[in-house]
Amino acid sequence: MEHQMDIHPHHHDWCQLVFSTSGAVRVGTDESTFIVPPSRAVWIPAGITHAVTAIEQAELRTLYLLPSLLEESIWSGCRVLEVAPLLRELVLQLAIELDERIEARREALLTELVLDELKRAKPLSLGIALPRDARLRKLCQAMLEAPERQHGLEAWAAEAGASARTVSRLFREELGTSFAQWRSQVLLAHALTLAARARPMAHIAAELGYANASAFSAMVRRTVGMPPSRFFASA
């Protein structure tokens, strides 16, 4: 499907691999949100409630699998996976051939190769934890929707109907981090989607509300201990 999608929270009895061949998407669960560019995919186990939103116009691809096909415990939680060129082409080819009534033997061969590629796919730590407290969750969702808003803790807390002190405490208790650290993770996740499209550093900085590329670079260095060019290459 190709549009500005907004798939509301739902769950099903099969596992799902979701990624976009163009455009970034955000996949949200009760506990985390994942912001991924086209070269990444989100693995969603069976029974997990999730929603999918296109950050920009995107062409979504989904792969559904029975839970019994991947019995290892590592598949029991959501995770971000690197989409190798072969895995990407296999998913695209399956979609075409299933529409054309693929023969059973060929479907079995393609499926076996997809499963092998999935097991080889590199996991990536790109999830952003979400809180359960309603006030803090409202604040976090607002920051995810508008990462370019360079508001301080006091301004965000006021919008959520809580004091800055309360919000600061909730971040520590529910997410084990500070407001500034969590916000930096959100900014880095959005920056990765822009970098994946070869956007220049100045453009990424402007998109995220920074006055200049130097200020953005300083945030990246402070957060991950390396310059943006190195961070984007490693991520």
Side-chain angles (χ1 to χ4, degrees):
M1 59 185 73
E2 183 176 1
H3 53 77
Q4 291 288 352
M5 72 192 74
D6 188 8
I7 303 174
H8 297 293
H10 65 287
H11 66 274
H12 33 66
D13 295 332
W14 51 86
C15 304
Q16 180 178 357
L17 185 76
V18 57
F19 69 98
S20 175
T21 57
S22 64
V25 297
R26 183 169 72 241
V27 178
T29 70
D30 289 341
E31 296 182 349
S32 301
T33 191
F34 306 89
I35 301 172
V36 292
S39 56
R40 311 287 191 259
V42 180
W43 170 261
I44 307 167
I48 298 292
T49 299
H50 59 282
V52 182
T53 304
I55 298 175
E56 57 194 21
Q57 187 159 342
E59 187 173 351
L60 186 68
R61 290 291 182 270
T62 56
L63 180 67
Y64 299 103
L65 301 98
L66 294 173
S68 58
L69 293 175
L70 292 163
E71 296 179 348
E72 293 93 336
S73 60
I74 60 172
W75 300 101
S76 62
C78 292
R79 58 195 341 220
V80 176
L81 299 174
E82 189 173 87
V83 179
L86 178 56
L87 177 57
R88 179 182 184 277
E89 293 304 317
L90 283 168
V91 174
L92 295 178
Q93 191 62 31
L94 264 177
I96 294 171
E97 299 206 16
L98 286 173
D99 284 343
E100 298 175 352
R101 297 176 181 270
I102 183 175
E103 60 176 285
R105 179 177 174 277
R106 181 167 172 78
E107 181 182 359
L109 290 171
L110 287 173
T111 300
E112 184 175 355
L113 190 50
V114 165
L115 291 173
D116 189 62
E117 282 297 295
L118 272 177
K119 292 174 182 177
R120 293 169 178 264
K122 178 183 177 183
L124 302 164
S125 301
L126 294 179
I128 301 171
L130 292 176
R132 295 191 175 277
D133 180 87
R135 294 165 298 175
L136 187 58
R137 196 176 185 92
K138 177 183 176 182
L139 184 153
C140 289
Q141 293 288 7
M143 284 195 282
L144 285 166
E145 294 291 340
E148 75 283 356
R149 293 174 62 188
Q150 293 291 329
H151 292 348
L153 174 59
E154 290 76 10
W156 283 112
E159 289 190 22
S163 68
R165 184 175 179 178
T166 297
V167 169
S168 180
R169 174 179 57 78
L170 288 172
F171 265 106
R172 291 194 305 273
E173 292 178 354
E174 296 232 350
L175 300 175
T177 187
S178 68
F179 162 81
Q181 290 169 332
W182 190 91
R183 175 166 165 69
S184 293
Q185 292 299 318
V186 172
L187 292 171
L188 291 175
H190 279 279
L192 279 174
T193 68
L194 296 171
R197 303 201 304 278
R199 297 291 179 86
M201 196 63 61
H203 180 97
I204 295 175
E207 283 274 323
L208 297 177
Y210 284 86
N212 52 61
S214 296
F216 171 72
S217 295
M219 183 277 292
V220 176
R221 285 177 179 273
R222 186 170 60 251
T223 304
V224 297
M226 63 181 73
S229 57
R230 207 170 123 211
F231 169 70
F232 294 142
S234 65

CSV table of all heavy atoms in Angstrom, one decimal, residues 65-88:
chain,number,residue,atom,x,y,z
A,65,LEU,N,3.8,-14.5,9.2
A,65,LEU,CA,4.3,-15.9,9.4
A,65,LEU,C,3.6,-16.5,10.6
A,65,LEU,O,3.3,-15.8,11.6
A,65,LEU,CB,5.8,-15.8,9.7
A,65,LEU,CG,6.7,-15.2,8.6
A,65,LEU,CD1,7.1,-13.8,8.9
A,65,LEU,CD2,8.0,-16.1,8.5
A,66,LEU,N,3.4,-17.8,10.5
A,66,LEU,CA,2.9,-18.5,11.6
A,66,LEU,C,3.9,-18.6,12.7
A,66,LEU,O,5.1,-18.8,12.5
A,66,LEU,CB,2.5,-20.0,11.2
A,66,LEU,CG,1.4,-20.1,10.2
A,66,LEU,CD1,1.2,-21.5,9.8
A,66,LEU,CD2,0.1,-19.6,10.8
A,67,PRO,N,3.6,-18.4,14.0
A,67,PRO,CA,4.5,-18.4,15.1
A,67,PRO,C,5.4,-19.7,15.2
A,67,PRO,O,6.5,-19.7,15.6
A,67,PRO,CB,3.6,-18.3,16.3
A,67,PRO,CG,2.4,-17.6,15.9
A,67,PRO,CD,2.2,-18.1,14.5
A,68,SER,N,4.8,-20.8,14.7
A,68,SER,CA,5.5,-22.1,14.8
A,68,SER,C,6.7,-22.1,13.9
A,68,SER,O,7.6,-23.0,14.0
A,68,SER,CB,4.6,-23.2,14.4
A,68,SER,OG,4.0,-23.1,13.1
A,69,LEU,N,6.8,-21.2,12.9
A,69,LEU,CA,7.9,-21.2,11.9
A,69,LEU,C,9.2,-20.7,12.5
A,69,LEU,O,10.3,-21.0,12.1
A,69,LEU,CB,7.6,-20.4,10.7
A,69,LEU,CG,6.5,-20.9,9.8
A,69,LEU,CD1,6.1,-20.0,8.7
A,69,LEU,CD2,6.9,-22.3,9.2
A,70,LEU,N,9.1,-19.9,13.6
A,70,LEU,CA,10.3,-19.4,14.3
A,70,LEU,C,10.1,-19.5,15.8
A,70,LEU,O,9.5,-18.7,16.5
A,70,LEU,CB,10.4,-17.9,13.9
A,70,LEU,CG,10.8,-17.6,12.5
A,70,LEU,CD1,10.6,-16.1,12.2
A,70,LEU,CD2,12.3,-17.9,12.2
A,71,GLU,N,10.5,-20.7,16.3
A,71,GLU,CA,10.3,-21.0,17.7
A,71,GLU,C,11.3,-20.5,18.7
A,71,GLU,O,11.1,-20.6,19.9
A,71,GLU,CB,10.2,-22.6,17.8
A,71,GLU,CG,9.0,-23.1,16.9
A,71,GLU,CD,8.9,-24.6,17.0
A,71,GLU,OE1,9.9,-25.2,17.5
A,71,GLU,OE2,7.9,-25.2,16.6
A,72,GLU,N,12.4,-20.0,18.2
A,72,GLU,CA,13.4,-19.5,19.1
A,72,GLU,C,12.9,-18.4,20.0
A,72,GLU,O,12.1,-17.6,19.5
A,72,GLU,CB,14.7,-19.0,18.4
A,72,GLU,CG,15.4,-20.2,17.6
A,72,GLU,CD,14.9,-20.3,16.2
A,72,GLU,OE1,13.8,-19.9,15.9
A,72,GLU,OE2,15.7,-20.8,15.4
A,73,SER,N,13.4,-18.3,21.2
A,73,SER,CA,12.9,-17.3,22.2
A,73,SER,C,13.2,-15.9,21.7
A,73,SER,O,12.5,-14.9,22.1
A,73,SER,CB,13.5,-17.5,23.6
A,73,SER,OG,14.9,-17.5,23.5
A,74,ILE,N,14.2,-15.7,20.9
A,74,ILE,CA,14.6,-14.3,20.5
A,74,ILE,C,13.5,-13.7,19.6
A,74,ILE,O,13.5,-12.5,19.5
A,74,ILE,CB,15.9,-14.3,19.6
A,74,ILE,CG1,15.7,-15.2,18.4
A,74,ILE,CG2,17.0,-14.8,20.5
A,74,ILE,CD1,16.9,-15.1,17.4
A,75,TRP,N,12.5,-14.5,19.1
A,75,TRP,CA,11.5,-13.9,18.3
A,75,TRP,C,10.2,-13.5,19.1
A,75,TRP,O,9.2,-13.2,18.5
A,75,TRP,CB,11.1,-14.9,17.2
A,75,TRP,CG,12.2,-15.2,16.3
A,75,TRP,CD1,13.0,-16.3,16.3
A,75,TRP,CD2,12.8,-14.4,15.2
A,75,TRP,NE1,14.0,-16.2,15.3
A,75,TRP,CE2,13.9,-15.0,14.7
A,75,TRP,CE3,12.4,-13.1,14.7
A,75,TRP,CZ2,14.6,-14.5,13.6
A,75,TRP,CZ3,13.1,-12.6,13.7
A,75,TRP,CH2,14.2,-13.3,13.1
A,76,SER,N,10.3,-13.7,20.4
A,76,SER,CA,9.2,-13.4,21.3
A,76,SER,C,8.9,-11.9,21.5
A,76,SER,O,7.9,-11.6,22.1
A,76,SER,CB,9.3,-14.2,22.6
A,76,SER,OG,10.4,-13.7,23.3
A,77,GLY,N,9.9,-11.1,21.2
A,77,GLY,CA,9.7,-9.6,21.5
A,77,GLY,C,9.9,-8.8,20.2
A,77,GLY,O,10.5,-9.3,19.2
A,78,CYS,N,9.4,-7.6,20.2
A,78,CYS,CA,9.6,-6.7,19.0
A,78,CYS,C,11.0,-6.4,18.8
A,78,CYS,O,11.8,-6.3,19.8
A,78,CYS,CB,8.8,-5.5,19.2
A,78,CYS,SG,7.0,-5.7,19.1
A,79,ARG,N,11.5,-6.3,17.6
A,79,ARG,CA,12.9,-5.9,17.4
A,79,ARG,C,13.0,-5.3,16.0
A,79,ARG,O,12.2,-5.5,15.1
A,79,ARG,CB,13.8,-7.2,17.5
A,79,ARG,CG,13.3,-8.2,16.5
A,79,ARG,CD,13.9,-9.6,16.7
A,79,ARG,NE,15.1,-9.7,17.5
A,79,ARG,CZ,16.1,-10.6,17.3
A,79,ARG,NH1,16.0,-11.3,16.2
A,79,ARG,NH2,17.1,-10.6,18.0
A,80,VAL,N,14.0,-4.5,15.8
A,80,VAL,CA,14.3,-3.9,14.5
A,80,VAL,C,15.4,-4.8,13.8
A,80,VAL,O,16.4,-5.2,14.5
A,80,VAL,CB,14.8,-2.4,14.7
A,80,VAL,CG1,15.2,-1.9,13.3
A,80,VAL,CG2,13.8,-1.6,15.3
A,81,LEU,N,15.2,-5.0,12.6
A,81,LEU,CA,16.1,-5.9,11.8
A,81,LEU,C,16.6,-5.1,10.6
A,81,LEU,O,15.9,-4.3,10.0
A,81,LEU,CB,15.4,-7.2,11.3
A,81,LEU,CG,14.9,-8.1,12.4
A,81,LEU,CD1,14.1,-9.2,11.8
A,81,LEU,CD2,16.0,-8.7,13.2
A,82,GLU,N,17.8,-5.4,10.2
A,82,GLU,CA,18.4,-4.8,9.0
A,82,GLU,C,17.9,-5.7,7.8
A,82,GLU,O,17.9,-6.9,7.8
A,82,GLU,CB,19.9,-4.9,9.0
A,82,GLU,CG,20.6,-4.2,7.9
A,82,GLU,CD,22.1,-4.2,8.1
A,82,GLU,OE1,22.8,-5.1,7.7
A,82,GLU,OE2,22.6,-3.2,8.8
A,83,VAL,N,17.4,-5.0,6.8
A,83,VAL,CA,16.8,-5.7,5.6
A,83,VAL,C,17.9,-5.8,4.5
A,83,VAL,O,18.2,-4.8,3.9
A,83,VAL,CB,15.6,-4.9,5.1
A,83,VAL,CG1,15.0,-5.6,3.8
A,83,VAL,CG2,14.5,-4.8,6.1
A,84,ALA,N,18.4,-7.0,4.4
A,84,ALA,CA,19.4,-7.2,3.4
A,84,ALA,C,18.8,-7.2,2.0
A,84,ALA,O,17.5,-7.4,1.9
A,84,ALA,CB,20.1,-8.6,3.6
A,85,PRO,N,19.5,-6.8,0.9
A,85,PRO,CA,18.9,-6.8,-0.4
A,85,PRO,C,18.2,-8.1,-0.8
A,85,PRO,O,17.1,-8.0,-1.4
A,85,PRO,CB,20.1,-6.5,-1.3
A,85,PRO,CG,21.1,-5.8,-0.4
A,85,PRO,CD,20.9,-6.4,0.9
A,86,LEU,N,18.7,-9.2,-0.4
A,86,LEU,CA,18.1,-10.5,-0.8
A,86,LEU,C,16.7,-10.6,-0.1
A,86,LEU,O,15.7,-11.0,-0.7
A,86,LEU,CB,19.0,-11.7,-0.5
A,86,LEU,CG,18.4,-13.0,-0.8
A,86,LEU,CD1,18.0,-13.1,-2.2
A,86,LEU,CD2,19.4,-14.1,-0.4
A,87,LEU,N,16.7,-10.3,1.2
A,87,LEU,CA,15.4,-10.4,1.9
A,87,LEU,C,14.4,-9.4,1.3
A,87,LEU,O,13.2,-9.8,1.2
A,87,LEU,CB,15.6,-10.1,3.4
A,87,LEU,CG,14.4,-10.1,4.3
A,87,LEU,CD1,13.6,-11.4,4.2
A,87,LEU,CD2,14.7,-9.7,5.7
A,88,ARG,N,14.8,-8.2,1.0
A,88,ARG,CA,13.9,-7.3,0.4
A,88,ARG,C,13.3,-7.8,-0.9
A,88,ARG,O,12.1,-7.7,-1.1
A,88,ARG,CB,14.6,-5.9,0.2
A,88,ARG,CG,13.8,-4.8,-0.5
A,88,ARG,CD,14.7,-3.6,-0.7
A,88,ARG,NE,13.9,-2.5,-1.3
A,88,ARG,CZ,13.6,-2.4,-2.5
A,88,ARG,NH1,14.0,-3.3,-3.4
A,88,ARG,NH2,12.9,-1.3,-2.9
